[in-house]
Amino acid sequence: DLWGKNVYVIPQYAFGVLVNNQQIMLSHEHTAYMWLTYTQAYDILKYDKTALWELDRKVRGLGPRD
């Protein structure tokens, strides 16, 4: 209802990075971060979980059908 009747898709962008140093500096756009296992992150996400699933497969060296 908030976006009107003509909105079908709301873009969601996801990024994954290799972190060697666990000291994180947040920009003014963010207030917190969490280190989570795949299962914890999957349970917390409320919307499309496809990007998380794809990242998990890639990190573990698996293809989409392994």
Side-chain angles (χ1 to χ4, degrees):
D1 292 339
L2 296 176
W3 297 298
K5 295 182 181 192
N6 295 324
V7 175
Y8 293 92
V9 176
I10 298 171
Q12 176 179 327
Y13 302 98
F15 304 92
V17 297
L18 174 63
V19 177
N20 291 320
N21 178 353
Q22 293 186 14
Q23 183 177 3
I24 303 295
M25 182 180 296
L26 301 176
S27 71
H28 69 279
E29 297 174 342
H30 302 89
T31 59
Y33 71 91
M34 294 184 283
W35 295 110
L36 302 169
T37 65
Y38 171 79
T39 303
Q40 290 169 328
Y42 193 90
D43 290 343
I44 286 174
L45 285 175
K46 294 182 175 139
Y47 302 105
D48 184 11
K49 300 178 182 193
T50 304
L52 178 64
W53 179 84
E54 288 179 1
L55 177 60
D56 179 62
R57 304 301 284 184
K58 289 178 182 180
V59 166
R60 295 192 294 133
L62 301 173
R65 292 169 189 82
D66 291 328

